[in-house]
Amino acid sequence: MVEHLFEDIFIVTRLDPDGKKFDRVSRIEARSEQFDMYMQLDVATEVYPMQAGEKFTMVLAPTLNLDGTPDTGYYTQAGRKTLADKFDYVMHGKLYKISEDSSSGQAAKVEIYASFGGLLMMLKGDPSSAASLELDQRLFLLMRKV
Amino acid sequence: MARPEERLRCTKEPFIEDVGTRRIKSIRFSMFSGNEVRQSAEAQVWNSRIYDQDMRPVPNGLLDTRMGAANKLGECTTCHGSFAECPGHFGYLKLVLPVFNVGFFNCILDVLKCICKSCSRVLLMEKDRREFLKKMRNPKADPLQKSAIMKKVRDKCKLSRCPWCDFINGVVKKGKAGLIILHDCSKTLDGSTEAIRSALSHKKEKISISAVRMLDAATVLSLFRRMIDEDCELLNLGDRPEKLIVTEIAVPPVPIRPSVFVAGGRMSNEDSITVILKSIANTNSILKETLQTGGQFTKCYDCWQLLQLQVVEYINSDSPSLSDSQHRGLVQRLKGKTGRFRGNLSGKRTEYTGRTVISPDPNLRITEVAIPILMARVLTYPERVSYYNIEKLRQCIRNGPHKHPGANFIIQPDGTKLHLKYCDRRIAARDLKYGCVVERHLEDGDIVLFNRQPSLHRMSIMSHRARIMPWRTLRFNESVCNPYNADFDGDEMNLHVPQTEEARTEALMLMGVQNNLCTPKNGEILVASTQDFLTSSFLVTRKDNFYDRSSFTLLCSYLGDAMENIDLPTPALIKPIELWTGKQLFSVLVRPNASTKVFLNFTVKEKIYTSREAMCPSDGFVYFRNSELLSGQVGKTTLGNGNKDGMFSVLVRDYNSHAAASCMNRLAKFSARFIGNHGFSIGVDDVQPGEHLNQQKKKKIDEGYKECHDLIASYSKGALTLQPGCNAAQTLELKITGVLNQIRATAGNVCMDTLHWRNSPLIMSQCGSKGSPINISQMVACVGQQSVGGRRAPNGFIDRTLPHFPINSKTPAAKGFVANSFYTGLTATEFFFHTMGGREGLVDTAVKTAETGYMSRRLMKGLEDLSVFYDQTVRNASGGIVQFLYGDDGMDPAKMEGKDGKPLNLDQLFMKVMATCPQRGHDTLSPGEILQILNVKLSEHDASSDDSCSEKFKQLLTKFLEERIKLLKNTRRSLHLDEDHVGKKDSSIEECIAANISGISAKQLQVFLDTCLSRYHSKKIEAGASIGAIGAQSIGEPGTQMTLKTFHFAGVASMNVTLGVPRIKEIINASKKISTPIITAELLSGKDVLSARIVKGSMEKAVLGEVAESIKIVLKSSQPNLVVKLDMQRIEALHMGISADSVQLSILNHPKIKLKSEHVRVIDKAKLRIYPAGIDKCKLQYELHNLKSMLPKVIVKGIPTVERAVINKIGDGYNLLVEGTNLLAVMGTPGVDAMKTKSNHIMEVNRTLGIEAARRSIIDEIQYTMKSHGMNIDLRHMMLLADLMTYKGEILGITRYGIAKMKSSVLMLASFEKTAEHLFNASYSGREDQIEGVSECIIMGIPMQLGTGILKVRQRLEHLPEFKYQPDPILS
């Protein structure tokens, strides 16, 4: 079993904090239970509707292969068993930016930015959560409602 | 021309040395004497008849066949050439009496003023004569100086008695009518006139005597003949002066004045010149007869005068001495736009050209142009037959002139030309040999030049590759519309086919579309996506656009013509269903497959961007990382023109123009196909306002109207608080305008907010393809205030705009506020106001085109010959240095990446290096190490390469890295790490994260610095670059785009500065008087309002009438006087510092009031008593009243030329804006910081501060004007212009006077303006034109010394003399 880069359970606190701008995509605001992470994530709500107050598990993984072989970057359709089988909603994208959050005074926080083909994610939390993440890393985001 | 049998046959051919090709090195202008005219002529003309009864040219007539063939049927009897072959021969016409040449009339007058009318010597004392002669003979004196000396000589020649022969000389002047010179001796102090008068006084009949004698042409001729050569030299004559007078007329060859038969050959239409010459010949023969038969003197004289006038008409039919002329003289043939110089010598008609309507074709590449088959069959290219193309050319020959890939002619190696229409093409094809030249039809891939008028900049003519297509229009990719400024509403464009391989290569390399993607105006990209391409990119990259496998692959196939491999990316959404996003498609577009090594890295903020960078809620932050579109909906900023950090610009800079071009091609193809299927249109429902909007709008308008009414009410009560520098009416206007604009803006905002995102106009305005928010809100919500000349609608009727409104109404509706939208429709009055605004726009564009066109032409003529030499200096054609280093750093403006002409955009470059060169586990550097590496690199670079980079660039680089270090420290501080010492990456989680956030590895820094330096060096300007012409275009072209915003508030409302084309014109013309001179005075204590008020008070002029409480006449028994009482309260309040003493001084210094100090007595601090100066009692009353009317106008304080001064608040400080001139006085005013005080009046800056300050001021003023119109022009162009205007030490405007002082070439000046004048003056002084400038070379048909012409192959033929290292021996 391969180790995930990040795993936590989130609760959706708000939908579209800046007002609804797109028909089929909503930006969700979520907080995690375990690491007290804050997340903003664009979700294609047309195919995977979400509501405020819902709880979901989110996993970031470098590959979908169960044995942990790295992702080739090429997409194959072969119906092998993958990590995705356990989840309802899977996105593929790239980590493009890590920055420090200077606003929150004492406790240093790190912001992790990723883009899944234009659907963006911003994950804010303790630096330790970002330890295994690297810039320009290919990421799979997997979600399952609990 | 001569046929062999006609030539003189010799037993041996005479030996003629073959000297190879000859090149005209220089042209000397001079005059022909009568003798020379006769010698060069083939025939004498004396017969005034042209044709005999049989319509054959009369011998010795004007169309004598010895002078060439008159039309296609005729033949030249001198050389037996036909009309096409023989250029003709001159004839001559002997005048019985000499006449003046109008062109030289002023010169003749000048010479006559300088010489004695008896002995023809110069009227100068021997000492002066020698001195002037020495100056004149100075080898360093250029023609301009010589003519100035000549003027001095003329002014000095005022001696009334000739020092050589004691003859009394009077004043020489022009007669009132016609070409007459008078010699007026009446003023000379000589008794002779009086003596004659008294002697004649006792005679009975009145004999009028006068001392005014006429100098006729014959007399002048004899005077001139007697002049000695040294005197001629003194008068700057290049030749003998008698040549200034016409004795023989050269009759021009017949072919240049063809005769056309009309009415079946019974009549003929003659050229103007023939007609004039005919009348000259006629008059001449009459005069001759009269003289021979001894006719009356008056008759002879009249006849002579007539002859004179006819010769004038022959030379210049526009001459003021002629009443009016129906004919075109010689001068008329030369001058003007269609004259010989501008019409035929500077610009020529060419073959191998085509012109037709243009239309778009997104399927063509940007470098291609589709040429109709019809056109391709006519336009040919001469291709030489070789081993490689013989089969292709054979096929072309077989196809012949009528089938497309065919040919029209074969040129055999011996020069014979075979027309393929009239020969057996199969045989011709069979007999085709290597070395023949086949004029084949255009085919795909041929290089053609493509052009659209007006050709305002060099991108208006570019070379494309031909693509032969059916139908009738020229087609090209819409991305190339911008440089040509073309649209497809019926525009036509021209096509030229270069005819040699050299020309093709040069065209491809220098003029190719690929090599002209960026404009040299400021380095922004010019060839870029437009309109539909932007719209479809915008639509496809929308965040919620998802495509399933079939539609995504379909879209991918739109990108090319199935010729490219495309790697399908992993879908962004894998579960619940696999979906790709539109942004992924864009990533595919930039980098279709893994073998395309293009890694695009940049960020751009689109129009819709709001906040939080990539997390922008409206998705306006475009972020490309390694050719992947991570975020942002792309629009004009990313893809469009006029931008330096857009996608295509980055591609051009980081990769090459080919990468950018192929990306544009893909985008064009994709967009056209996508939007064709997607559909995009606009309808009424797009502009229908919703209920909410209507309510909001009504509310806003009602509120605004109420506010306006309140303002008007308080204005009529006089309760309006005034704004600085405005009166009540101006304040009201300003406030109302503000309120009304606010209404339109808020209505517009509400409108934009309520529109659905699918609204077509909204999409177009958001992505930047067409239209602005204002356009939309005008359609949907409210049209807004109409303005005419920057104000609300003017009063066309008495005190009102239209009779629909009450008199003096200032309400919004009565002054042109249109509350309706275009959707609801305008009321009658609103419509009328709208047309007023519309007309102003139309008139303005019509006027402006002519004005800017002339401005561009002048700029071009002024700067055309400036180019960069191999030593990096900018010089003009004769080698005079204008700049030592182009633009102070020798960089090419077309290649500048950063803002404000900085060579590199370091942020973007750094980002690219960080993204393309990952750290890969290497440790990052500490701040100290970064700086150390930088310094080592820079010093290493300085030592190794021969041309190091400029100090400015090094500073830029250091500053940028310091900025980075600051970021690095920030990161480490917030992660609680040591700021200066960077630990190992694997030592802690924090270290690792810090490295990820802002760490720089040694490798990355190394790559970054290397790229910076190597790229910096590739941006140096190349030697030979015709930077002058580029500069002229870069300043001239934006002029055409300047909108009608001609005024602008200089910080303070109501203080207008001229802007736009008029201002640019003022600067370029170096006008002595400008319309709005403003001095910006900084204050020593800039934070203090009070001191600002005091300074303002001391500058603004105050007249006595303003500060005096009363000026009274006191009539007492003792002595009547005037009592002036000053209003001290007011003086104190305004800090004017005026006292009775200072007033006394001002009165005494007034130029009109002539009083002495005893007349003006100071009584106390605020009182003066003034006594009239005259003692005359009867004039006393008059003088008192006179004084009383004059005194209030006496300026008691301030600078007379200053209209007013306004205090301007900037930030927390103040400065003064002074309207008016006299910079020196303003700088000298106490309290003004003279070091920082500026004026916008260039001539005054020159007068006050000198030429360097004037240069700086020219640069700043042009830049300010351009900036305020939102135009960004590289500073280097303005520097060059300013340097050209100042490099002679005085400010020379780019006008006919200034250019005449800058350039030495006669041909160039003649082709600019005042053609005839320059030519006559040049031949008077015998000037020589070295053919070195651009205009001259074009006129002579020689390659010019600029650009590729700067290259010269030089070979040393003989050995250098050996250098002696020792002095010559004294004894050998």
Side-chain angles (χ1 to χ4, degrees), chain A residues 17-18 21-25 27 40-42 44 46-48 64 71 73-75 77 84-102 105-110 113 115-122 126-131 133-136 138 140, chain B residues 542-546 549 567-584 594 610 612-619 623 625-626 628-633 756-758 914-915 918 920-921 967 970-972 974-976 985 989-990 992-993 995-998:
Chain A
D18 305 291
K21 304 260 179 182
F22 300 97
D23 289 357
R24 284 165 293 199
V25 170
R27 180 163 289 182
Q40 283 199 342
L41 178 70
D42 293 334
E46 195 190 36
V47 291
Y48 191 69
L64 286 184
D71 188 57
Y74 292 103
Y75 178 65
Q77 277 183 298
D85 298 342
K86 291 188 214 155
F87 293 87
D88 305 334
Y89 182 76
V90 181
M91 290 203 287
H92 169 256
K94 183 166 151 177
L95 196 160
Y96 67 92
K97 185 180 166 190
I98 303 175
S99 80
E100 79 274 11
D101 181 31
S102 45
Q106 267 303 317
K109 285 204 169 176
V110 173
Y113 293 88
S115 164
F116 303 94
L119 301 175
L120 303 171
M121 180 195 78
M122 193 270 283
D126 193 69
S128 58
S129 59
L133 294 170
E134 245 183 273
L135 263 178
D136 285 321
R138 301 240 148 241
F140 287 93
Chain B
R542 210 181 136 81
K543 199 178 234 172
D544 61 348
N545 246 349
F546 296 104
R549 180 169 287 268
D567 293 344
L568 208 59
T570 315
L573 238 69
I574 297 169
K575 249 188 128 174
I577 43 167
E578 51 178 41
L579 287 174
W580 283 261
T581 63
K583 289 199 175 69
Q584 285 186 298
T610 48
R612 283 190 284 155
E613 296 222 318
M615 292 302 284
C616 167
S618 42
D619 206 19
Y623 191 155
R625 192 176 170 94
N626 287 335
E628 242 180 283
L629 180 57
L630 295 175
S631 75
Q633 204 171 349
H756 186 254
W757 68 266
R758 271 193 196 285
M914 297 302 276
R920 292 256 163 74
L967 279 180
N970 267 344
T971 311
R972 298 185 67 81
S974 55
L975 288 172
H976 311 294
K985 209 173 181 177
I989 297 171
E990 276 83 7
C992 180
I993 290 168
N996 259 332
I997 293 172
S998 53

Side-chain angles (χ1 to χ4, degrees), chain B residues 184-457:
Chain B
D184 184 359
C185 298
S186 59
K187 294 259 173 66
T188 45
L189 295 171
D190 174 30
S192 61
T193 346
E194 275 70 37
I196 296 171
R197 192 162 287 159
S198 64
L200 287 173
S201 60
H202 55 269
K203 283 275 244 180
K204 280 236 175 86
E205 60 267 47
K206 287 266 181 213
I207 301 168
S208 68
I209 49 123
S210 97
V212 181
R213 262 167 291 157
M214 206 184 79
L215 293 171
D216 57 53
T219 325
V220 175
L221 184 64
S222 65
L223 277 173
F224 280 179
R225 282 214 175 109
R226 283 205 300 273
M227 274 179 78
I228 61 168
D229 284 345
E230 212 167 66
D231 286 349
C232 294
E233 205 177 335
L234 195 60
L235 296 176
N236 196 23
L237 269 159
D239 215 333
R240 290 296 306 171
E242 56 262 30
K243 293 187 184 174
L244 297 170
I245 290 161
V246 184
T247 53
E248 262 94 4
I249 290 178
V251 179
V254 177
I256 71 157
R257 43 186 178 97
S259 156
V260 184
F261 286 111
V262 288
R266 276 171 289 113
M267 303 243 291
S268 70
N269 247 346
E270 296 303 325
D271 190 274
S272 274
I273 288 190
T274 315
V275 176
I276 302 171
L277 281 172
K278 187 183 168 190
S279 56
I280 290 176
N282 198 21
T283 319
N284 196 38
S285 61
I286 292 171
L287 182 62
K288 192 174 183 182
E289 204 182 299
T290 335
L291 283 176
Q292 274 169 353
T293 54
Q296 267 186 345
F297 170 72
T298 46
K299 202 180 163 194
C300 284
Y301 179 74
D302 287 347
C303 203
W304 191 9
Q305 276 304 308
L306 182 63
L307 185 68
Q308 169 74 71
L309 288 182
Q310 279 167 346
V311 174
V312 168
E313 189 183 19
Y314 170 61
I315 291 165
N316 181 2
S317 59
D318 256 355
S319 161
S321 47
L322 294 172
S323 52
D324 66 321
S325 168
Q326 309 294 319
H327 304 299
R328 270 167 65 84
L330 292 178
V331 165
Q332 276 63 46
R333 282 195 167 211
L334 298 181
K335 77 183 219 181
K337 195 174 187 179
T338 49
R340 219 65 341 133
F341 270 94
R342 282 175 70 186
N344 301 94
L345 292 168
S346 305
K348 291 170 168 74
R349 294 174 178 273
T350 54
E351 270 200 284
Y352 307 102
T353 57
R355 178 181 173 99
T356 179
V357 178
I358 52 167
S359 51
D361 190 342
N363 292 312
L364 289 172
R365 272 182 285 167
I366 60 161
T367 51
E368 284 178 328
V369 57
I371 300 173
I373 293 178
L374 234 69
M375 205 181 251
R377 286 209 306 254
V378 178
L379 301 174
T380 57
Y381 176 74
E383 190 167 329
R384 195 168 287 276
V385 180
S386 70
Y387 172 77
Y388 302 97
N389 62 5
I390 190 159
E391 279 315 314
K392 179 189 89 178
L393 290 176
R394 278 201 174 121
Q395 186 53 45
C396 284
I397 291 168
R398 264 178 242 124
N399 282 343
H402 297 300
K403 196 174 163 192
H404 170 252
N408 290 357
F409 293 98
I410 302 176
I411 301 162
Q412 305 290 350
D414 61 353
T416 52
K417 203 166 184 177
L418 190 68
H419 198 306
L420 288 173
K421 208 169 171 184
Y422 309 110
C423 71
D424 192 328
R425 299 200 290 267
R426 287 175 171 282
I427 297 171
R430 195 193 62 209
D431 293 346
L432 194 66
K433 300 249 163 38
Y434 297 148
C436 290
V437 173
V438 179
E439 294 209 340
R440 60 154 174 84
H441 293 161
L442 276 194
E443 58 182 28
D444 284 2
D446 272 339
I447 287 155
V448 295
L449 302 182
F450 201 38
N451 160 246
R452 178 179 179 273
Q453 279 103 359
S455 310
L456 293 168
H457 51 188

Side-chain angles (χ1 to χ4, degrees), chain B residues 30 58 87 147 228 269 399 559 647 734 802 809 844 1030 1040 1061 1136 1200 1248 1308:
Chain B
S30 70
V58 172
S147 67
I228 61 168
N269 247 346
N399 282 343
L559 294 176
M647 183 169 112
L734 271 173
L802 288 175
S809 174
D844 197 77
I1030 292 172
T1040 56
V1061 183
M1136 287 210 249
T1248 326
M1308 189 256 143

Side-chain angles (χ1 to χ4, degrees), chain B residues 809-830:
Chain B
S809 174
K810 288 196 186 301
T811 54
K815 278 295 207 174
F817 183 74
V818 181
N820 277 308
S821 68
F822 287 131
Y823 173 76
T824 55
L826 275 56
T827 64
T829 51
E830 283 175 342

Side-chain angles (χ1 to χ4, degrees), chain B residues 789-1060:
Chain B
R791 294 200 177 82
R792 300 203 289 164
N795 291 340
F797 291 81
I798 297 165
D799 290 333
R800 52 180 162 177
T801 49
L802 288 175
H804 305 70
F805 303 103
I807 280 177
N808 277 328
S809 174
K810 288 196 186 301
T811 54
K815 278 295 207 174
F817 183 74
V818 181
N820 277 308
S821 68
F822 287 131
Y823 173 76
T824 55
L826 275 56
T827 64
T829 51
E830 283 175 342
F831 183 80
F832 193 81
F833 290 129
H834 189 236
T835 56
M836 287 168 83
R839 167 181 286 206
E840 201 201 11
L842 289 181
V843 170
D844 197 77
T845 32
V847 172
K848 225 171 41 204
T849 36
E851 216 160 79
T852 51
Y854 179 48
M855 202 176 76
S856 299
R857 183 174 133 71
R858 273 170 18 213
L859 276 172
M860 201 61 186
K861 277 285 171 193
L863 285 113
E864 62 178 13
D865 59 347
L866 301 184
S867 70
V868 180
F869 277 61
Y870 278 102
D871 58 355
Q872 295 278 297
T873 54
V874 179
R875 298 179 190 229
N876 62 18
S878 37
I881 295 181
V882 177
Q883 283 185 331
F884 284 108
L885 179 58
Y886 175 64
D888 289 348
D889 56 3
M891 304 307 268
D892 186 352
K895 292 177 184 155
M896 292 300 100
E897 289 179 20
K899 288 195 175 63
D900 304 323
K902 293 211 180 82
L904 290 174
N905 183 355
L906 292 175
D907 286 305
Q908 189 265 322
L909 193 63
F910 188 77
M911 191 184 135
K912 177 189 150 65
V913 171
M914 297 302 276
T916 49
C917 172
Q919 291 170 1
R920 292 256 163 74
H922 291 291
D923 284 327
T924 53
L925 300 168
S926 70
E929 286 168 331
I930 293 175
L931 280 183
Q932 197 193 340
I933 291 179
L934 171 71
N935 289 332
V936 168
K937 189 88 204 166
L938 284 181
S939 55
E940 206 175 80
H941 176 78
D942 277 354
S944 64
S945 58
D946 36 28
D947 52 348
S948 59
C949 36
S950 69
E951 245 357 271
K952 225 172 170 180
F953 179 66
K954 281 184 204 163
Q955 272 171 23
L956 198 73
L957 205 57
T958 319
K959 216 173 137 200
F960 175 77
L961 280 179
E962 273 163 6
E963 205 69 18
R964 283 283 139 195
I965 288 168
K966 212 186 271 170
L967 279 180
L968 177 67
K969 286 186 176 173
N970 267 344
T971 311
R972 298 185 67 81
R973 196 179 312 130
S974 55
L975 288 172
H976 311 294
L977 288 164
D978 186 359
E979 282 181 27
D980 294 321
H981 297 284
V982 174
K984 285 261 177 275
K985 209 173 181 177
D986 40 13
S987 59
S988 72
I989 297 171
E990 276 83 7
E991 282 288 356
C992 180
I993 290 168
N996 259 332
I997 293 172
S998 53
I1000 307 167
S1001 76
K1003 175 86 180 161
Q1004 282 173 328
L1005 186 62
Q1006 207 56 255
V1007 171
F1008 173 68
L1009 290 177
D1010 283 340
T1011 330
C1012 279
L1013 291 174
S1014 69
R1015 227 191 251 192
Y1016 177 83
H1017 284 295
S1018 71
K1019 290 182 186 300
K1020 287 249 163 84
I1021 190 128
E1022 285 168 55
S1026 54
I1027 206 67
I1030 292 172
Q1033 292 169 351
S1034 301
I1035 295 168
E1037 191 262 344
T1040 56
Q1041 296 168 17
M1042 286 197 195
T1043 42
L1044 67 179
K1045 200 178 77 179
T1046 42
F1047 281 101
H1048 160 83
F1049 305 118
V1052 186
S1054 83
M1055 188 166 267
N1056 288 325
V1057 254
T1058 319
L1059 282 179

Side-chain angles (χ1 to χ4, degrees), chain B residues 138-209:
Chain B
N138 181 8
K140 279 182 193 159
D142 62 15
L144 216 66
Q145 285 169 325
K146 278 190 181 170
S147 67
I149 299 170
M150 152 75 190
K151 284 211 178 80
K152 265 189 206 154
V153 172
R154 191 191 62 199
D155 295 340
K156 193 97 185 188
C157 288
K158 287 283 192 296
L159 289 178
S160 62
R161 192 177 285 273
C162 172
W164 313 88
C165 68
D166 281 349
F167 181 78
I168 308 292
N169 277 286
V171 187
V172 176
K173 56 188 178 190
K174 208 189 271 183
K176 283 199 185 81
L179 242 49
I180 296 166
I181 299 174
L182 299 174
H183 183 210
D184 184 359
C185 298
S186 59
K187 294 259 173 66
T188 45
L189 295 171
D190 174 30
S192 61
T193 346
E194 275 70 37
I196 296 171
R197 192 162 287 159
S198 64
L200 287 173
S201 60
H202 55 269
K203 283 275 244 180
K204 280 236 175 86
E205 60 267 47
K206 287 266 181 213
I207 301 168
S208 68
I209 49 123

